[in-house]
Amino acid sequence: MTTMADEARAESRDGRGFTFRAAADDGVAPGDMVVVTTPDGARLLGQVVDVIEPVGEDPLTGFGVVIGALDEEGAVQRGARPAFRGAALELARPAELGGLHGAAAGTMSIGTWRTGDVGAEASLRAGGFNRHSFLCGQSGSGKTYALGVLLERLLLQTDLRMAVFDPNADFVHLGSTLPGVAEADARRIADRGVRVLRSDSTRGEGDEPLRMRFRTMTRQAQAATLQLDPIHDQDEYNAFISFLAQIGNDSDLGALLAGLRSGTPGQLSLARRMENLGLLEWQVWAGELPSAADVVTGGGADGGADGGAGVTVMDLGGFGDPSEPIAVCLEVVDELWAQRDRRIPTLLVIDEAHNLCSSDPASPVAQKLLDRLIQIAAEGRKYGLWFLLSSQRPSKIDPQILSQCDNLMLMRMNSPDDIAELGRAFGFAPKAMLQASNGFVQGEALLAGGFAPVPMLVQVRERLTPQGGSDVAVPLVGA
Ligand SMILES: Nc1ncnc2c1ncn2[C@@H]1O[C@H](COP(=O)(O)OP(=O)(O)O)[C@@H](O)[C@H]1O
Ligand SMILES: [Mg+2]
């Protein structure tokens, strides 16, 4: 049933917003798409924004926004906004919603759009990822799974360069498809040549080492790795920069340490610092191997022929020192930033983004990384550096990053405080739709912002590639 009771009526003074009245059992909900037929025969596509629950036998009332006029071909003309009174109201059908996606190139099918009592194709504009996106939902709501769906669709429909920062090895199989996937899709994904970089303890067949170079880090990043503060550690910091100026900038850590050990007292104390921090034991140093920054940017010894438009998954787990993965991330984003004038469209994907984007970083390296991420959030768009961040709590993400996100994908969220915060940060998402997220089941999401034609409630589609690090099951007796 897509028709509402006959008495359903809508009225608009400005052709933009409308109020409506419907029977209580019409079951209209925030987010539902409706077709308004005005007394002079115009058909308008609208969206319910809020509903006031009726008392007793009263009709249901609410308000919505006009999206545009439906023309004879079923396309939506967004500019057309006539005022109306006494218009008939009914729930929209899939054909009418199809007109919204229109002929826009690069539509990505990401699941089933739940509106009224129908399920329609839910598509995002691939071109809408040219801004920062935030995926939010409580643990277990299906964020990582949904992030995988987004990445697969982007692999299929764009040539975006992607750098995936993967804390739980969830995307290490992004380059291989599940049985039953359409051949063309499987081939396209295989052809993207996803490269997977991992630590020595987690690396399997086909994976490459996740490494970095001390000598190509920025001077500030090097100092942060040594936990040297230019003010608090004035003397050592100064000994460090003058030593580097003296020996040149192409020394690796081992050579550096050897030089420092045989130097002045100031240099000797720097050597002690390195030893005490255990820096030489880090497995993350590349030696002769390519660094992650080289792989991501297509620079270094082994490539760059394709302009680096590759897809790199960096599994951040399995290192001995928690600063190692942070330092690699820092080198990668520093290098992407250093090469920003190449303007290669690049999506920086960060799952569990509160680890890297926390406003309270745990170490000097993490602070440097945060500083760079904030800078990319503020200025990256004009260079084609865009974020796709996923996290369970908006309040754990630095506000200078969160406030730059223009696309929202919200999954199940129970905390009213977090929903209120999202309402402030993402004013384009209707409040009643945000609030509905506490009733979402796994895989359900609200999509709003530049990548969505209108705010949509969606059940995300099935994955094409296997999700890696699944939860560990409780061992059951007899099982
Ligand atoms: N839409 C879905 N369809 C099928 N399984 C799903 C879906 N969403 C999540 N899952 C499964 O549920 C578990 C938790 O999902 P996950 O995406 O890891 O949650 P989150 O990242 O929000 O903590 C995973 O095993 C995942 O494969
Ligand atoms: Mg997850």
Side-chain angles (χ1 to χ4, degrees):
M1 269 282 290
T2 54
T3 47
M4 295 204 244
D6 285 346
E7 68 265 28
R9 283 289 175 273
E11 165 168 338
S12 172
R13 291 176 186 197
D14 59 5
R16 292 173 184 278
F18 64 88
T19 52
F20 69 89
R21 171 167 53 79
D25 56 6
D26 279 336
V28 187
D32 284 352
M33 301 299 292
V34 292
V35 173
V36 172
T37 306
T38 68
D40 52 13
R43 296 179 75 237
L44 308 172
L45 189 65
Q47 184 170 34
V48 174
V49 171
D50 208 353
V51 167
I52 298 158
E53 289 300 330
V55 179
E57 300 297 301
D58 288 352
L60 177 151
T61 56
F63 58 93
V65 291
V66 177
I67 306 298
L70 286 162
D71 68 15
E72 263 137 46
E73 275 82 53
V76 179
Q77 306 298 328
R78 284 191 178 248
R81 296 177 185 282
F84 53 85
R85 296 193 65 166
L89 186 75
E90 58 191 330
L91 293 171
R93 287 175 291 265
E96 290 145 350
L97 301 173
L100 251 189
H101 298 313
T107 52
M108 309 193 328
S109 157
I110 52 129
T112 306
W113 183 4
R114 299 264 164 78
T115 155
D117 53 1
V118 299
E121 180 87 33
S123 299
L124 293 179
R125 286 192 321 112
F129 283 85
N130 68 344
R131 54 190 76 206
H132 306 309
S133 308
F134 184 53
L135 167 51
C136 191
Q138 66 194 44
S139 184
S141 59
K143 294 182 299 297
T144 299
Y145 187 98
L147 190 55
V149 169
L150 294 179
L151 296 183
E152 289 162 3
R153 295 293 136 184
L154 289 166
L155 283 176
L156 290 176
Q157 305 214 302
T158 73
D159 284 325
L160 264 180
R161 178 166 76 177
M162 293 188 224
V164 183
F165 299 90
D166 179 7
N168 297 326
D170 280 309
F171 297 105
V172 296
H173 305 304
L174 190 61
S176 57
T177 41
L178 291 162
V181 170
E183 202 185 315
D185 289 351
R187 197 173 329 115
R188 166 76 187 168
I189 287 177
D191 286 350
R192 290 299 305 269
V194 176
R195 296 175 71 170
V196 179
L197 314 185
R198 309 185 75 174
S199 69
D200 292 353
S201 58
T202 54
R203 196 162 57 248
E205 202 184 326
D207 301 332
E208 300 171 66
L210 180 63
R211 298 299 171 103
M212 65 181 298
R213 274 181 229 294
F214 187 78
R215 69 176 127 94
T216 50
M217 297 174 89
T218 67
R219 187 58 45 87
Q220 289 91 339
Q222 290 174 332
T225 308
L226 297 177
Q227 300 192 22
L228 277 175
D229 183 273
I231 308 300
H232 288 109
D233 314 300
Q234 281 185 21
D235 295 338
E236 263 182 289
Y237 195 98
N238 198 264
F240 178 62
I241 54 174
S242 34
F243 183 70
L244 281 185
Q246 174 194 327
I247 67 160
N249 206 18
D250 59 351
S251 303
D252 241 318
L253 206 60
L256 206 66
L257 188 61
L260 287 170
R261 277 194 186 120
S262 56
T264 63
Q267 289 167 354
L268 202 58
S269 89
L270 264 177
R272 293 248 163 73
R273 174 183 283 269
M274 287 186 185
E275 287 160 0
N276 294 350
L277 288 171
L279 286 184
L280 243 34
E281 283 89 70
W282 282 16
Q283 60 151 282
V284 79
W285 304 121
E288 298 310 310
L289 297 166
S291 71
D294 288 344
V295 175
V296 168
T297 61
D302 70 330
D306 58 358
V311 179
T312 312
V313 173
M314 289 162 278
D315 171 7
L316 303 177
F319 287 97
D321 187 313
S323 287
E324 288 179 76
I326 304 284
V328 185
C329 296
L330 174 59
E331 206 202 7
V332 170
V333 296
D334 272 351
E335 188 57 30
L336 285 168
W337 183 250
Q339 297 189 15
R340 63 192 178 281
D341 284 328
R342 294 174 72 193
R343 289 187 154 74
I344 299 173
T346 305
L347 196 65
L348 285 81
V349 182
I350 311 180
D351 197 5
E352 307 278 352
H354 45 269
N355 292 329
L356 306 184
C357 303
S358 156
S359 45
D360 186 19
S363 68
V365 189
Q367 178 68 58
K368 278 281 164 279
L369 176 60
L370 176 67
D371 293 346
R372 185 64 81 203
L373 295 174
I374 289 172
Q375 187 173 27
I376 293 175
E379 303 173 52
R381 279 182 61 173
K382 57 179 181 281
Y383 301 106
L385 298 174
W386 306 305
F387 285 133
L388 172 51
L389 308 175
S390 169
S391 178
Q392 43 197 300
R393 305 216 37 205
S395 54
K396 287 173 149 188
I397 303 289
D398 189 283
Q400 297 175 86
I401 296 176
L402 192 69
S403 64
Q404 297 292 334
C405 293
D406 295 324
N407 290 317
L408 175 66
M409 181 165 187
L410 173 62
M411 308 197 69
R412 183 181 173 91
M413 187 81 124
N414 275 345
S415 148
D417 287 351
D418 286 337
I419 292 177
E421 171 148 10
L422 288 171
R424 285 190 291 275
F426 299 91
F428 52 80
K431 295 262 186 312
M433 291 182 80
L434 290 171
Q435 271 151 12
S437 68
N438 66 17
F440 285 177
V441 298
Q442 190 178 62
E444 254 187 311
L446 162 65
L447 288 137
F451 65 5
V454 294
M456 300 186 289
L457 296 178
V458 170
Q459 176 72 42
V460 296
R461 62 178 301 153
E462 78 290 355
R463 287 280 299 265
L464 305 181
T465 66
Q467 182 167 338
S470 331
D471 291 346
V472 176
V474 175
L476 301 176
V477 174

